[in-house]
Amino acid sequence: MWTSGRMSNAKNLLGLGISLYFWGLMDLTTTVLSGSARPLTEGQEDNLSDKLHQRMKRSWVWNQFFVLEEYTGTDPLYVGKLHSDMDRGDGSIKYILSGEGAGIVFTIDDTTGDIHAIQRLDREERSQYTLRAQALDRRTGRPMEPESEFIIKIQDINDNEPKFLDGPYVASVPEMSPVGTSVIQVTATDADDPTYGNSARVVYSILQGQPYFSVDSRTGLIRTALMNMDREAKEYYEVIIQAKDMGGQLGGLAGTTTVNITLSDVNDNPPRFPQKHYQMSVLESAPISSTVGRVVAKDLDEGINAEMKYSLVDGDGLDVFDINTDPNYQVGIITVRKPLSFESKKSYTLKVEGANPHLEMRFLNLGPFRDTTTVHISVEDVDEPPVFEPSFYFVEVPEDVEIGTTIQIISAKDPDVTNNSIRYSIDRSSDPGRFFYVDITSGALMTARPLDREDVSWHNITVLAVELNNPSQVGSVSVTVKVLDVNDNAPEFARFYEAFVCENAKAGQLVQTVSAIDRDDPQEGQHFYYSLAPEAANNPNFTLRDNQDNTAWILTRRSGFRQHEQNTFYLPILISDNGRPVLSSTGTLTVHVCSCDDDGMVMSCNAEAYVLPVSLSRGALIAILACIFVLLVLVLLILSMRRQRKQPYIMDEEENIHENIVRYDDEGGGEEDTEAFDIAAMWNPREAQLVVKNRQDMLPEIESLSRYVPQACVMDNNVHNYVLAKLYEADMDLWAPPFDSLQTYMFEGNGSVAESLSSLQSVTTDSDQSYDYLTDWGPRFKKLAEMYGATDSSGALW
């Protein structure tokens, strides 16, 4: 068989030459078989398969086919022709095509052997197709030639422009870079065949960005083309690069990309102070590290190249002031280093230097990269608050300290020349529990409530000092109080212990391991001692072994436990600590008797049920009678309390109706409670103290302080301690009414539209005074208006 191909465009001759070249390489040319073309006999057909495995000269004349891509004609594209030398031209030979694209992309005329492409071919999608051809006897369908394989290659045309797959690009280059400094390399990709023609040979050029940058036409490397490019003058550049195929020749396809180039900063600008003189002022009361003012040196650079470091290089306040650099804003912050005093020195002068810490050697000729300025600071006089000496207090106090004990003397003074008197107090937000009290004049810090280390072990309170003549000047000091531990808590079981013992348990068997806890924290550590309580010291059932490691074992003393005899044992255990004094407590271990198997596994801990007698026992009858008796006592007690409430509140022999104030519902205050005081106390307080009248509606648990104070205690110097103790006692009783309060009715205050309603001043007024104005005061005084106001009746009021 031999093949002839025909090109359908101007490249036919070139395709034919390439075909001839491949013919020589593949040595596919074969010799035409002798004899006439005739079908194979049956014997020849049987030997055909054996001959196929032998190297033989075939009757096929073979070569590769070539066809151009992107054919746009309307007729099928002719690819080539298959022909066998056994074909006599009478149509007896049938050509069959199979393989990649057979019947879909390529078709064959089964009579002539002409191959056509029926679809558009794209080399970028597929560059070649491998097919198989066979010649059959049309009449018998038997192969006239062995099946053979051939290739159809797709020839490339320039139908793809270069593309920058990674574009657009972003790059940076330091400013002031030398000419020729590499910036970035761009790469364009052409999908055409690089082995065929110039379709994929790309040439780079720059369309925008000159004269600042250039590009290598072959590699696409972008370089700087202008020296001394200054970022401070222009920072951003947009460069457009073109890639053109066909070696840049006319007719080639081109693609472009954008390269955004930024000039990165270098330290080529020295810092400069815009002001050579700064004037600042500061109060003499300014605390340490407080800010006095700020200075700033300008630097046209950015980032690390614009960083500044400020320092004090000269002046008379080098030991009084300090300067720090703000890393965010690159400003120098002048702060107070030592306490200031207007009376000692009124002004200071400083010389401040600002310098770049990061320098580049090639730009040192542009320096110096530092500058200085002068700062004048004036100290202003203020009325300073009291100052504590020392500035911090640390106090240790045992938790069993008595109320009113002085634990520390707090001292403060006025730093001003006037040296005003000081008054002390505690900031109650720092002592919400009111555990402490400070003497207002001496500054003696005392306990006002019992301390408990297990509740609060540390107290951080703030003591305030106020100038007597200027209360706005307040000084404060922190006082840390550490509450020391004393042995005031007995040890107790760590948890509720409940154990079981088997009926078949033997003597000496471990029942339970117990441990204890103690809220105290002795310095030498905790150690507990265990023993049976005295009432159980001779317990016949169980014994205790102290392990000397703060645990104890409960062991059986005997065997033969029985549920029906006793199913539960309560074992009291005495636990003692090693404190001074020794404290102890008793814990109870509950032990249940259970039925167990031979391996000691519990099966049942409930006692067997027994049939109870139908009749009640004597003990049950006694319990029922006792309950009935208690109910009767409660009923009698309630009846007696109700009868007592109906008695009058004031047990007075002669009721002084003349001095009573009328009660009405709308008015509040002292006048409403007519039984809370005795009017006789206003006549003669000394005589009133001899007669004590008790209210019947409520009985105070804490009476007036004067009743509890013995005569000797009044004369004692430590009266403060007693008052604090009684104050704590009254604060803890939430149900006691304030019987010890002093109620004064002689002066009722200012600002009331009713002025004074007291009858004590009635002797100075006209007895025929008119009370008609009470009707104008509203519903709150309606009752008084009805009683004292004008009336049509001429009868007397009483």
Side-chain angles (χ1 to χ4, degrees):
M1 178 181 283
W2 54 274
T3 304
S4 63
R6 180 175 59 83
M7 305 301 172
S8 60
N9 55 24
K11 294 185 180 181
N12 287 342
L13 294 177
L14 179 61
L16 181 58
I18 295 175
S19 299
L20 292 174
Y21 172 73
F22 279 103
W23 291 346
L25 290 179
M26 301 179 63
D27 193 16
L28 296 175
T29 304
T30 59
T31 305
V32 179
L33 296 175
S34 61
S36 59
R38 61 181 181 273
L40 297 176
T41 63
E42 293 182 2
Q44 292 174 338
E45 184 178 359
D46 294 337
N47 297 329
L48 179 61
S49 59
D50 296 335
K51 294 180 181 180
L52 290 177
H53 296 284
Q54 301 175 4
R55 183 171 181 177
M56 57 179 292
K57 293 184 178 180
R58 293 183 292 180
S59 299
W60 294 94
V61 179
W62 233 186
N63 72 319
Q64 293 181 343
F65 291 98
F66 293 85
V67 61
L68 290 177
E69 65 172 337
E70 304 295 345
Y71 173 71
T72 58
T74 57
D75 297 331
L77 176 64
Y78 179 73
V79 177
K81 184 181 182 65
L82 298 179
H83 184 71
S84 174
D85 58 356
M86 300 179 67
D87 189 358
R88 304 300 183 183
D90 55 358
S92 62
I93 302 298
K94 181 180 181 180
Y95 297 97
I96 296 177
L97 188 66
S98 62
E100 298 175 349
I104 300 175
V105 179
F106 301 100
T107 62
I108 188 171
D109 190 320
D110 61 353
T111 302
T112 63
D114 292 334
I115 301 175
H116 292 81
I118 60 175
Q119 289 189 6
R120 185 180 65 85
L121 303 176
D122 189 353
R123 189 202 65 83
E124 287 71 38
E125 294 181 1
R126 189 162 188 170
S127 61
Q128 67 179 23
Y129 294 85
T130 301
L131 296 102
R132 294 181 301 278
Q134 191 173 21
L136 303 177
D137 187 286
R138 187 179 297 273
R139 183 175 56 85
T140 63
R142 295 180 178 180
M144 304 295 294
E145 299 284 352
E147 186 181 56
S148 185
E149 185 177 84
F150 66 95
I151 297 175
I152 298 179
K153 288 193 174 183
I154 311 301
Q155 286 183 323
D156 183 52
I157 64 173
N158 189 20
D159 59 342
N160 292 279
E161 74 277 3
K163 295 182 179 180
F164 293 91
L165 302 180
D166 298 329
Y169 296 87
V170 177
S172 65
V173 62
E175 62 174 332
M176 299 296 178
S177 296
V179 175
T181 302
S182 298
V183 180
I184 191 175
Q185 184 175 11
V186 297
T187 302
T189 303
D190 197 318
D192 294 326
D193 189 359
T195 63
Y196 180 75
N198 294 326
S199 299
R201 191 163 71 88
V202 178
V203 175
Y204 300 92
S205 61
I206 185 168
L207 300 182
Q208 177 180 316
Q210 295 175 332
Y212 306 103
F213 301 95
S214 63
V215 64
D216 189 291
S217 62
R218 184 176 60 86
T219 63
L221 180 62
I222 301 176
R223 295 185 174 92
T224 58
L226 189 65
M227 62 182 304
N228 295 332
M229 286 191 293
D230 192 1
R231 185 198 64 84
E232 288 72 31
K234 186 177 181 180
E235 184 176 1
Y236 300 102
Y237 295 86
E238 185 178 75
V239 179
I240 298 178
I241 302 297
Q242 174 183 269
K244 190 173 184 181
D245 59 13
M246 299 297 293
Q249 297 178 4
L250 184 64
L253 302 179
T256 61
T257 187
T258 301
V259 182
N260 296 310
I261 301 177
T262 303
L263 294 183
S264 59
D265 186 59
V266 297
N267 193 7
D268 59 341
N269 293 280
R272 292 292 179 264
F273 281 102
Q275 293 180 235
K276 289 300 180 182
H277 297 279
Y278 288 85
Q279 185 67 39
M280 302 177 183
S281 61
V282 60
L283 299 176
E284 65 169 337
S285 59
I288 303 299
S289 300
S290 61
T291 300
V292 178
R294 291 173 171 81
V295 296
V296 58
K298 300 294 184 180
D299 194 325
L300 298 179
D301 297 321
E302 66 178 7
I304 191 175
N305 299 311
E307 289 185 2
M308 302 295 300
K309 181 175 178 57
Y310 296 92
S311 59
L312 302 178
V313 296
D314 196 7
D316 56 356
L318 298 180
D319 59 338
V320 180
F321 298 95
D322 199 0
I323 188 168
N324 300 308
T325 303
D326 187 341
N328 296 323
Y329 300 99
Q330 302 301 324
V331 299
I333 304 175
I334 301 176
T335 57
V336 178
R337 186 176 181 180
K338 289 184 178 180
L340 302 174
S341 176
F342 174 80
E343 293 75 17
S344 301
K345 189 173 179 61
K346 297 179 176 59
S347 64
Y348 296 88
T349 301
L350 302 174
K351 187 175 183 181
V352 180
E353 179 184 80
N356 287 141
H358 306 285
L359 302 179
E360 295 191 25
M361 301 302 296
R362 60 193 179 110
F363 298 119
L364 290 180
N365 59 329
L366 302 178
F369 286 82
R370 62 183 67 247
D371 197 15
T372 59
T373 187
T374 303
V375 180
H376 298 281
I377 301 176
S378 300
V379 180
E380 297 181 358
D381 187 25
V382 294
D383 186 7
E384 299 175 85
V387 178
F388 287 89
E389 294 182 359
S391 59
F392 175 78
Y393 288 89
F394 177 76
V395 183
E396 293 183 339
V397 58
E399 61 178 324
D400 59 348
V401 65
E402 295 183 359
I403 296 177
T405 302
T406 300
I407 61 174
Q408 182 68 46
I409 301 296
I410 309 299
S411 176
K413 67 176 182 178
D414 185 6
D416 297 324
V417 179
T418 55
N419 194 16
N420 293 322
S421 299
I422 305 298
R423 294 294 180 265
Y424 299 93
S425 62
I426 294 179
D427 184 359
R428 285 306 171 190
S429 62
S430 64
D431 184 27
R434 297 180 178 267
F435 289 96
F436 301 96
Y437 171 82
V438 64
D439 187 82
I440 190 172
T441 56
S442 65
L445 183 64
M446 296 173 283
T447 57
R449 294 183 58 185
L451 303 179
D452 189 356
R453 188 203 65 85
E454 290 72 32
D455 186 16
V456 181
S457 59
W458 291 84
H459 296 269
N460 295 305
I461 62 176
T462 301
V463 177
L464 306 177
V466 182
E467 290 186 9
L468 184 61
N469 297 334
N470 187 4
S472 63
Q473 296 300 323
V474 181
S476 63
V477 67
S478 296
V479 181
T480 299
V481 180
K482 179 181 180 181
V483 182
L484 301 179
D485 183 54
V486 297
N487 192 27
D488 58 347
N489 290 279
E492 57 187 10
F493 276 152
R495 60 182 179 84
F496 174 74
Y497 285 103
E498 188 174 19
F500 71 92
V501 62
C502 295
E503 288 183 320
N504 57 0
K506 299 179 181 180
Q509 182 174 326
L510 177 63
V511 177
Q512 180 69 46
T513 301
V514 296
S515 61
I517 57 174
D518 194 333
R519 297 181 62 192
D520 294 323
D521 187 16
Q523 295 181 354
E524 61 275 8
Q526 291 181 342
H527 185 75
F528 304 128
Y529 303 95
Y530 299 88
S531 62
L532 295 178
E535 61 271 19
N538 297 323
N539 189 292
N541 302 310
F542 301 97
T543 183
L544 183 145
R545 179 186 298 175
D546 193 337
N547 297 324
Q548 300 300 320
D549 60 353
N550 291 340
T551 63
W553 288 353
I554 308 302
L555 307 174
T556 58
R557 186 185 291 271
R558 65 178 178 86
S559 60
F561 292 91
R562 295 292 180 267
Q563 281 188 346
H564 63 274
E565 295 178 358
Q566 184 173 354
N567 62 349
T568 303
F569 294 90
Y570 299 98
L571 187 64
I573 300 175
L574 182 65
I575 313 170
S576 304
D577 59 16
N578 60 334
R580 297 196 183 109
V582 176
L583 297 180
S584 61
S585 67
T586 301
T588 301
L589 172 65
T590 302
V591 182
H592 299 284
V593 179
C594 302
S595 298
C596 305
D597 57 15
D598 295 337
D599 297 330
M601 301 300 294
V602 177
M603 294 188 302
S604 173
C605 290
N606 296 324
E608 298 179 357
Y610 292 95
V611 179
L612 296 178
V614 178
S615 60
L616 293 177
S617 64
R618 181 181 300 174
L621 293 176
I622 295 175
I624 294 174
L625 294 176
C627 293
I628 297 174
F629 177 76
V630 171
L631 290 176
L632 292 175
V633 171
L634 290 177
V635 171
L636 294 176
L637 182 60
I638 293 173
L639 293 176
S640 63
M641 291 178 63
R642 288 184 177 181
R643 180 178 299 176
Q644 188 176 6
R645 288 182 181 178
K646 296 180 181 180
Q647 296 180 3
Y649 289 155
I650 302 298
M651 302 299 296
D652 195 358
E653 296 179 358
E654 298 180 2
E655 184 178 5
N656 193 350
I657 302 177
H658 174 73
E659 296 297 341
N660 282 349
I661 298 178
V662 177
R663 181 197 300 235
Y664 54 96
D665 295 335
D666 293 333
E667 180 67 18
E671 292 88 351
E672 183 179 359
D673 192 358
T674 57
E675 287 108 4
F677 67 96
D678 187 3
I679 196 66
M682 297 184 181
W683 300 335
N684 191 349
R686 295 182 180 179
E687 295 180 359
Q689 293 179 357
L690 300 178
V691 180
V692 179
K693 298 181 179 180
N694 296 329
R695 293 183 58 168
Q696 300 300 316
D697 58 340
M698 59 180 69
L699 298 177
E701 297 182 4
I702 300 179
E703 300 183 5
S704 176
L705 285 176
S706 59
R707 300 177 184 177
Y708 276 88
V709 179
Q711 191 66 23
C713 187
V714 175
M715 302 303 294
D716 189 10
N717 295 330
N718 198 12
V719 178
H720 237 331
N721 299 357
Y722 177 80
V723 173
L724 290 175
K726 287 301 176 182
L727 179 61
Y728 169 73
E729 187 178 352
D731 290 341
M732 291 298 100
D733 190 354
L734 302 178
W735 305 104
F739 282 98
D740 53 352
S741 61
L742 178 61
Q743 301 182 13
T744 304
Y745 294 89
M746 197 64 186
F747 175 72
E748 296 187 19
N750 298 324
S752 174
V753 295
E755 295 181 355
S756 176
L757 297 179
S758 175
S759 61
L760 299 178
Q761 297 179 358
S762 60
V763 296
T764 61
T765 61
D766 189 3
S767 60
D768 297 333
Q769 181 179 357
S770 174
Y771 295 97
D772 294 341
Y773 58 87
L774 294 175
T775 58
D776 300 331
W777 288 359
R780 294 173 61 86
F781 298 92
K782 180 179 179 181
K783 188 68 175 179
L784 289 178
E786 293 176 355
M787 297 177 60
Y788 296 98
T791 180
D792 296 339
S793 176
S794 59
L797 292 178
W798 292 281

